Tab-separated table of all heavy atoms in Angstrom:
chain	number	residue	atom	x	y	z
B	506	PRO	N	-61.391	-48.473	17.822
B	506	PRO	CA	-61.950	-47.718	18.958
B	506	PRO	C	-63.205	-46.965	18.522
B	506	PRO	O	-63.223	-46.357	17.449
B	506	PRO	CB	-60.828	-46.727	19.321
B	506	PRO	CG	-59.603	-47.223	18.622
B	506	PRO	CD	-60.075	-47.971	17.415
B	507	VAL	N	-64.234	-47.001	19.362
B	507	VAL	CA	-65.519	-46.401	18.996
B	507	VAL	C	-65.373	-44.897	18.749
B	507	VAL	O	-66.080	-44.309	17.927
B	507	VAL	CB	-66.590	-46.721	20.074
B	507	VAL	CG1	-66.268	-46.029	21.395
B	507	VAL	CG2	-67.984	-46.345	19.584
B	508	GLU	N	-64.400	-44.254	19.431
B	508	GLU	CA	-64.227	-42.796	19.259
B	508	GLU	C	-63.862	-42.437	17.827
B	508	GLU	O	-64.141	-41.336	17.356
B	508	GLU	CB	-63.118	-42.246	20.174
B	508	GLU	CG	-63.222	-42.641	21.629
B	508	GLU	CD	-62.555	-43.973	21.891
B	508	GLU	OE1	-61.314	-44.025	21.775
B	508	GLU	OE2	-63.267	-44.946	22.188
B	509	GLU	N	-63.191	-43.388	17.148
B	509	GLU	CA	-62.771	-43.087	15.765
B	509	GLU	C	-63.962	-42.750	14.882
B	509	GLU	O	-63.826	-42.006	13.909
B	509	GLU	CB	-62.019	-44.277	15.168
B	509	GLU	CG	-60.528	-44.067	15.143
B	509	GLU	CD	-59.776	-45.152	14.384
B	509	GLU	OE1	-60.194	-45.521	13.277
B	509	GLU	OE2	-58.764	-45.622	14.924
B	510	LEU	N	-65.106	-43.318	15.213
B	510	LEU	CA	-66.296	-43.118	14.377
B	510	LEU	C	-66.733	-41.657	14.372
B	510	LEU	O	-67.300	-41.174	13.392
B	510	LEU	CB	-67.448	-43.992	14.873
B	510	LEU	CG	-67.182	-45.493	14.964
B	510	LEU	CD1	-68.463	-46.229	15.358
B	510	LEU	CD2	-66.647	-46.041	13.643
B	511	ASP	N	-66.465	-40.965	15.468
B	511	ASP	CA	-66.902	-39.573	15.565
B	511	ASP	C	-65.773	-38.583	15.331
B	511	ASP	O	-65.992	-37.477	14.879
B	511	ASP	CB	-67.533	-39.343	16.949
B	511	ASP	CG	-68.719	-40.267	17.170
B	511	ASP	OD1	-69.685	-40.171	16.393
B	511	ASP	OD2	-68.655	-41.108	18.087
B	512	GLU	N	-64.548	-39.013	15.654
B	512	GLU	CA	-63.416	-38.086	15.547
B	512	GLU	C	-62.985	-37.857	14.103
B	512	GLU	O	-62.366	-36.848	13.792
B	512	GLU	CB	-62.216	-38.635	16.338
B	512	GLU	CG	-62.393	-38.475	17.840
B	512	GLU	CD	-61.364	-39.261	18.632
B	512	GLU	OE1	-60.501	-39.928	18.004
B	512	GLU	OE2	-61.438	-39.220	19.868
B	513	ASN	N	-63.253	-38.824	13.228
B	513	ASN	CA	-62.753	-38.724	11.866
B	513	ASN	C	-63.845	-38.309	10.909
B	513	ASN	O	-64.902	-38.934	10.844
B	513	ASN	CB	-62.152	-40.064	11.439
B	513	ASN	CG	-60.898	-40.350	12.228
B	513	ASN	OD1	-59.853	-39.788	11.952
B	513	ASN	ND2	-61.022	-41.190	13.248
B	514	VAL	N	-63.540	-37.230	10.155
B	514	VAL	CA	-64.513	-36.720	9.187
B	514	VAL	C	-63.865	-36.681	7.802
B	514	VAL	O	-62.649	-36.611	7.674
B	514	VAL	CB	-64.992	-35.294	9.567
B	514	VAL	CG1	-65.752	-35.326	10.893
B	514	VAL	CG2	-63.842	-34.317	9.635
B	515	ASP	N	-64.716	-36.752	6.798
B	515	ASP	CA	-64.221	-36.654	5.412
B	515	ASP	C	-64.036	-35.177	5.057
B	515	ASP	O	-64.335	-34.298	5.881
B	515	ASP	CB	-65.163	-37.401	4.462
B	515	ASP	CG	-66.494	-36.690	4.272
B	515	ASP	OD1	-66.670	-35.574	4.802
B	515	ASP	OD2	-67.363	-37.257	3.591
B	516	PRO	N	-63.533	-34.874	3.861
B	516	PRO	CA	-63.295	-33.464	3.515
B	516	PRO	C	-64.554	-32.605	3.597
B	516	PRO	O	-64.464	-31.388	3.762
B	516	PRO	CB	-62.769	-33.539	2.068
B	516	PRO	CG	-62.145	-34.895	1.974
B	516	PRO	CD	-63.005	-35.786	2.824
B	517	ALA	N	-65.732	-33.222	3.524
B	517	ALA	CA	-66.981	-32.453	3.624
B	517	ALA	C	-67.435	-32.311	5.065
B	517	ALA	O	-68.496	-31.719	5.326
B	517	ALA	CB	-68.071	-33.129	2.795
B	518	GLY	N	-66.671	-32.866	6.026
B	518	GLY	CA	-67.021	-32.722	7.434
B	518	GLY	C	-67.952	-33.811	7.952
B	518	GLY	O	-68.448	-33.722	9.074
B	519	ILE	N	-68.202	-34.832	7.143
B	519	ILE	CA	-69.106	-35.925	7.550
B	519	ILE	C	-68.298	-36.972	8.307
B	519	ILE	O	-67.245	-37.415	7.841
B	519	ILE	CB	-69.784	-36.541	6.307
B	519	ILE	CG1	-70.635	-35.473	5.608
B	519	ILE	CG2	-70.611	-37.770	6.684
B	519	ILE	CD1	-71.096	-35.869	4.218
B	520	SER	N	-68.786	-37.380	9.484
B	520	SER	CA	-68.055	-38.366	10.296
B	520	SER	C	-68.294	-39.777	9.770
B	520	SER	O	-69.245	-40.031	9.018
B	520	SER	CB	-68.505	-38.284	11.755
B	520	SER	OG	-69.826	-38.778	11.877
B	521	ILE	N	-67.439	-40.704	10.209
B	521	ILE	CA	-67.602	-42.107	9.833
B	521	ILE	C	-68.987	-42.593	10.265
B	521	ILE	O	-69.724	-43.207	9.490
B	521	ILE	CB	-66.497	-42.968	10.489
B	521	ILE	CG1	-65.114	-42.578	9.943
B	521	ILE	CG2	-66.771	-44.460	10.272
B	521	ILE	CD1	-63.943	-43.288	10.613
B	522	ARG	N	-69.362	-42.253	11.514
B	522	ARG	CA	-70.648	-42.721	12.036
B	522	ARG	C	-71.806	-42.231	11.169
B	522	ARG	O	-72.674	-43.018	10.758
B	522	ARG	CB	-70.843	-42.226	13.472
B	522	ARG	CG	-72.145	-42.735	14.113
B	522	ARG	CD	-72.418	-42.119	15.482
B	522	ARG	NE	-71.364	-42.384	16.437
B	522	ARG	CZ	-71.262	-43.513	17.155
B	522	ARG	NH1	-72.148	-44.473	17.004
B	522	ARG	NH2	-70.262	-43.667	18.010
B	523	GLN	N	-71.760	-40.928	10.873
B	523	GLN	CA	-72.831	-40.317	10.089
B	523	GLN	C	-72.948	-40.963	8.705
B	523	GLN	O	-74.044	-41.296	8.248
B	523	GLN	CB	-72.498	-38.822	9.958
B	523	GLN	CG	-73.626	-37.929	9.483
B	523	GLN	CD	-73.155	-36.471	9.400
B	523	GLN	OE1	-72.114	-36.105	9.982
B	523	GLN	NE2	-73.894	-35.650	8.682
B	524	ALA	N	-71.788	-41.162	8.067
B	524	ALA	CA	-71.778	-41.740	6.716
B	524	ALA	C	-72.309	-43.171	6.745
B	524	ALA	O	-73.040	-43.589	5.842
B	524	ALA	CB	-70.372	-41.692	6.137
B	525	ALA	N	-71.924	-43.932	7.788
B	525	ALA	CA	-72.387	-45.318	7.903
B	525	ALA	C	-73.897	-45.371	8.109
B	525	ALA	O	-74.604	-46.189	7.500
B	525	ALA	CB	-71.658	-46.024	9.049
B	526	ILE	N	-74.399	-44.450	8.961
B	526	ILE	CA	-75.844	-44.414	9.236
B	526	ILE	C	-76.612	-44.074	7.956
B	526	ILE	O	-77.637	-44.687	7.645
B	526	ILE	CB	-76.160	-43.393	10.357
B	526	ILE	CG1	-75.667	-43.942	11.708
B	526	ILE	CG2	-77.661	-43.085	10.422
B	526	ILE	CD1	-75.702	-42.940	12.856
B	527	GLU	N	-76.063	-43.107	7.179
B	527	GLU	CA	-76.721	-42.723	5.920
B	527	GLU	C	-76.792	-43.881	4.927
B	527	GLU	O	-77.637	-43.896	4.044
B	527	GLU	CB	-75.996	-41.529	5.286
B	527	GLU	CG	-76.361	-40.213	5.972
B	527	GLU	CD	-75.479	-39.035	5.555
B	527	GLU	OE1	-74.748	-39.170	4.549
B	527	GLU	OE2	-75.515	-38.005	6.254
B	528	CYS	N	-75.899	-44.867	5.091
B	528	CYS	CA	-75.920	-46.051	4.229
B	528	CYS	C	-76.851	-47.126	4.779
B	528	CYS	O	-76.995	-48.202	4.179
B	528	CYS	CB	-74.520	-46.636	4.091
B	528	CYS	SG	-73.491	-45.720	2.945
B	529	GLY	N	-77.435	-46.869	5.956
B	529	GLY	CA	-78.369	-47.832	6.528
B	529	GLY	C	-77.746	-48.783	7.533
B	529	GLY	O	-78.376	-49.747	7.954
B	530	PHE	N	-76.500	-48.549	7.928
B	530	PHE	CA	-75.861	-49.409	8.928
B	530	PHE	C	-76.132	-48.833	10.314
B	530	PHE	O	-76.531	-47.676	10.453
B	530	PHE	CB	-74.362	-49.525	8.677
B	530	PHE	CG	-74.046	-49.960	7.269
B	530	PHE	CD1	-73.312	-49.145	6.416
B	530	PHE	CD2	-74.528	-51.172	6.793
B	530	PHE	CE1	-73.059	-49.536	5.120
B	530	PHE	CE2	-74.272	-51.566	5.477
B	530	PHE	CZ	-73.532	-50.734	4.646
B	531	ASP	N	-75.838	-49.634	11.340
B	531	ASP	CA	-76.070	-49.194	12.718
B	531	ASP	C	-74.762	-49.282	13.492
B	531	ASP	O	-74.466	-50.271	14.148
B	531	ASP	CB	-77.141	-50.081	13.369
B	531	ASP	CG	-77.438	-49.664	14.799
B	531	ASP	OD1	-76.842	-48.652	15.262
B	531	ASP	OD2	-78.248	-50.338	15.449
B	532	PRO	N	-73.936	-48.223	13.402
B	532	PRO	CA	-72.595	-48.292	14.011
B	532	PRO	C	-72.630	-48.397	15.536
B	532	PRO	O	-71.602	-48.688	16.136
B	532	PRO	CB	-71.906	-46.999	13.555
B	532	PRO	CG	-72.918	-46.198	12.852
B	532	PRO	CD	-74.164	-46.975	12.683
B	533	SER	N	-73.805	-48.203	16.148
B	533	SER	CA	-73.878	-48.448	17.597
B	533	SER	C	-73.697	-49.936	17.877
B	533	SER	O	-73.431	-50.334	19.008
B	533	SER	CB	-75.216	-47.940	18.152
B	533	SER	OG	-76.264	-48.799	17.744
B	534	GLN	N	-73.842	-50.758	16.840
B	534	GLN	CA	-73.652	-52.212	16.965
B	534	GLN	C	-72.201	-52.602	16.628
B	534	GLN	O	-71.950	-53.719	16.163
B	534	GLN	CB	-74.621	-52.965	16.039
B	534	GLN	CG	-76.078	-52.732	16.371
B	534	GLN	CD	-76.395	-53.166	17.804
B	534	GLN	OE1	-76.115	-54.302	18.206
B	534	GLN	NE2	-76.916	-52.239	18.608
B	535	LEU	N	-71.237	-51.677	16.872
B	535	LEU	CA	-69.831	-51.954	16.538
B	535	LEU	C	-69.310	-53.198	17.260
B	535	LEU	O	-68.626	-54.038	16.671
B	535	LEU	CB	-68.974	-50.728	16.898
B	535	LEU	CG	-67.482	-50.817	16.584
B	535	LEU	CD1	-67.245	-50.976	15.086
B	535	LEU	CD2	-66.740	-49.572	17.090
B	536	GLU	N	-69.660	-53.310	18.519
B	536	GLU	CA	-69.159	-54.434	19.314
B	536	GLU	C	-69.675	-55.767	18.739
B	536	GLU	O	-68.952	-56.772	18.717
B	536	GLU	CB	-69.575	-54.259	20.781
B	536	GLU	CG	-69.054	-55.316	21.731
B	536	GLU	CD	-67.551	-55.547	21.658
B	536	GLU	OE1	-66.798	-54.564	21.457
B	536	GLU	OE2	-67.128	-56.725	21.768
B	537	ALA	N	-70.901	-55.741	18.233
B	537	ALA	CA	-71.498	-56.957	17.662
B	537	ALA	C	-70.844	-57.356	16.340
B	537	ALA	O	-70.984	-58.501	15.883
B	537	ALA	CB	-72.997	-56.753	17.456
B	538	ALA	N	-70.131	-56.405	15.718
B	538	ALA	CA	-69.451	-56.711	14.453
B	538	ALA	C	-68.206	-57.569	14.684
B	538	ALA	O	-67.658	-58.167	13.764
B	538	ALA	CB	-69.059	-55.414	13.735
B	539	ARG	N	-67.766	-57.607	15.945
B	539	ARG	CA	-66.577	-58.409	16.277
B	539	ARG	C	-66.862	-59.895	16.063
B	539	ARG	O	-67.918	-60.381	16.461
B	539	ARG	CB	-66.212	-58.148	17.740
B	539	ARG	CG	-64.947	-58.842	18.157
B	539	ARG	CD	-64.512	-58.363	19.526
B	539	ARG	NE	-63.198	-58.901	19.842
B	539	ARG	CZ	-62.458	-58.498	20.842
B	539	ARG	NH1	-62.872	-57.515	21.625
B	539	ARG	NH2	-61.286	-59.049	21.058
B	540	ARG	N	-65.892	-60.559	15.414
B	540	ARG	CA	-66.063	-61.991	15.147
B	540	ARG	C	-65.041	-62.788	15.941
B	540	ARG	O	-63.883	-62.900	15.542
B	540	ARG	CB	-65.883	-62.281	13.645
B	540	ARG	CG	-66.930	-61.688	12.726
B	540	ARG	CD	-68.314	-62.317	12.905
B	540	ARG	NE	-68.305	-63.732	12.692
B	540	ARG	CZ	-68.608	-64.335	11.530
B	540	ARG	NH1	-68.964	-63.620	10.491
B	540	ARG	NH2	-68.578	-65.657	11.421
B	541	SER	N	-65.480	-63.361	17.061
B	541	SER	CA	-64.581	-64.207	17.858
B	541	SER	C	-64.742	-65.669	17.471
B	541	SER	O	-64.073	-66.546	18.018
B	541	SER	CB	-64.890	-64.037	19.347
B	541	SER	OG	-64.858	-62.668	19.683
B	542	ASP	N	-65.650	-65.902	16.505
B	542	ASP	CA	-65.997	-67.283	16.153
B	542	ASP	C	-65.313	-67.768	14.876
B	542	ASP	O	-65.605	-68.869	14.400
B	542	ASP	CB	-67.525	-67.403	16.022
B	542	ASP	CG	-68.103	-66.397	15.020
B	542	ASP	OD1	-67.372	-65.445	14.640
B	542	ASP	OD2	-69.264	-66.552	14.614
B	543	LEU	N	-64.436	-66.968	14.315
B	543	LEU	CA	-63.784	-67.388	13.067
B	543	LEU	C	-62.543	-68.239	13.358
B	543	LEU	O	-61.733	-67.878	14.220
B	543	LEU	CB	-63.381	-66.166	12.225
B	543	LEU	CG	-64.530	-65.374	11.569
B	543	LEU	CD1	-63.963	-64.204	10.765
B	543	LEU	CD2	-65.382	-66.271	10.675
B	544	ASP	N	-62.409	-69.319	12.646
B	544	ASP	CA	-61.277	-70.241	12.870
B	544	ASP	C	-60.199	-70.118	11.801
B	544	ASP	O	-59.161	-70.775	11.887
B	544	ASP	CB	-61.794	-71.678	12.938
B	544	ASP	CG	-62.718	-71.862	14.133
B	544	ASP	OD1	-62.208	-71.977	15.265
B	544	ASP	OD2	-63.962	-71.828	13.928
B	545	GLY	N	-60.463	-69.292	10.806
B	545	GLY	CA	-59.441	-69.078	9.781
B	545	GLY	C	-59.914	-68.053	8.774
B	545	GLY	O	-61.120	-67.858	8.580
B	546	PHE	N	-58.947	-67.348	8.179
B	546	PHE	CA	-59.266	-66.341	7.157
B	546	PHE	C	-58.205	-66.429	6.067
B	546	PHE	O	-57.003	-66.508	6.369
B	546	PHE	CB	-59.284	-64.940	7.777
B	546	PHE	CG	-59.527	-63.835	6.777
B	546	PHE	CD1	-60.781	-63.659	6.203
B	546	PHE	CD2	-58.495	-62.978	6.396
B	546	PHE	CE1	-61.007	-62.647	5.277
B	546	PHE	CE2	-58.720	-61.960	5.472
B	546	PHE	CZ	-59.984	-61.787	4.915
B	547	ILE	N	-58.659	-66.474	4.826
B	547	ILE	CA	-57.714	-66.477	3.697
B	547	ILE	C	-58.102	-65.336	2.749
B	547	ILE	O	-59.278	-65.207	2.377
B	547	ILE	CB	-57.719	-67.818	2.925
B	547	ILE	CG1	-57.347	-68.963	3.871
B	547	ILE	CG2	-56.730	-67.764	1.754
B	547	ILE	CD1	-57.452	-70.344	3.221
B	548	GLU	N	-57.111	-64.504	2.376
B	548	GLU	CA	-57.367	-63.384	1.461
B	548	GLU	C	-56.572	-63.618	0.180
B	548	GLU	O	-55.366	-63.875	0.222
B	548	GLU	CB	-56.924	-62.069	2.117
B	548	GLU	CG	-57.204	-60.839	1.242
B	548	GLU	CD	-56.873	-59.508	1.932
B	548	GLU	OE1	-56.258	-59.544	3.031
B	548	GLU	OE2	-57.214	-58.454	1.381
B	549	LEU	N	-57.284	-63.565	-0.941
B	549	LEU	CA	-56.598	-63.603	-2.239
B	549	LEU	C	-56.474	-62.162	-2.739
B	549	LEU	O	-57.438	-61.398	-2.639
B	549	LEU	CB	-57.396	-64.459	-3.230
B	549	LEU	CG	-56.788	-64.633	-4.623
B	549	LEU	CD1	-57.121	-66.031	-5.180
B	549	LEU	CD2	-57.266	-63.565	-5.602
B	550	HIS	N	-55.309	-61.801	-3.267
B	550	HIS	CA	-55.077	-60.417	-3.697
B	550	HIS	C	-54.076	-60.422	-4.855
B	550	HIS	O	-53.249	-61.326	-4.953
B	550	HIS	CB	-54.515	-59.595	-2.520
B	550	HIS	CG	-54.804	-58.117	-2.611
B	550	HIS	ND1	-54.119	-57.271	-3.443
B	550	HIS	CD2	-55.718	-57.346	-1.957
B	550	HIS	CE1	-54.603	-56.042	-3.309
B	550	HIS	NE2	-55.576	-56.057	-2.416
B	551	ILE	N	-54.179	-59.413	-5.723
B	551	ILE	CA	-53.087	-59.247	-6.706
B	551	ILE	C	-51.829	-58.829	-5.949
B	551	ILE	O	-51.896	-58.199	-4.897
B	551	ILE	CB	-53.436	-58.204	-7.795
B	551	ILE	CG1	-53.868	-56.870	-7.172
B	551	ILE	CG2	-54.476	-58.740	-8.752
B	551	ILE	CD1	-53.887	-55.716	-8.158
B	552	GLU	N	-50.680	-59.185	-6.533
B	552	GLU	CA	-49.415	-58.930	-5.833
B	552	GLU	C	-49.140	-57.438	-5.635
B	552	GLU	O	-48.561	-57.035	-4.636
B	552	GLU	CB	-48.254	-59.560	-6.626
B	552	GLU	CG	-46.902	-59.341	-5.970
B	552	GLU	CD	-45.736	-59.545	-6.918
B	552	GLU	OE1	-45.870	-60.323	-7.883
B	552	GLU	OE2	-44.683	-58.907	-6.714
B	553	GLN	N	-49.528	-56.621	-6.605
B	553	GLN	CA	-49.216	-55.176	-6.623
B	553	GLN	C	-47.737	-54.910	-6.847
B	553	GLN	O	-47.268	-53.786	-6.666
B	553	GLN	CB	-49.667	-54.473	-5.323
B	553	GLN	CG	-51.149	-54.592	-5.073
B	553	GLN	CD	-51.566	-53.872	-3.800
B	553	GLN	OE1	-51.633	-54.495	-2.748
B	553	GLN	NE2	-51.830	-52.589	-3.893
Side-chain angles (χ1 to χ4, degrees):
Chain B
V507 67
E508 310 87 68
E509 257 188 46
L510 304 185
D511 301 299
E512 285 168 0
N513 292 283
V514 295
D515 71 5
I519 298 167
S520 70
I521 295 175
R522 183 186 301 277
Q523 195 180 343
I526 288 170
E527 282 169 13
C528 282
F530 307 119
D531 181 3
S533 73
Q534 298 301 307
L535 182 62
E536 183 52 36
R539 184 170 188 168
R540 294 292 302 265
S541 307
D542 55 346
L543 289 180
D544 296 283
F546 177 72
I547 301 175
E548 182 175 9
L549 182 146
H550 206 283
I551 53 165
E552 180 199 332
Q553 300 181 266

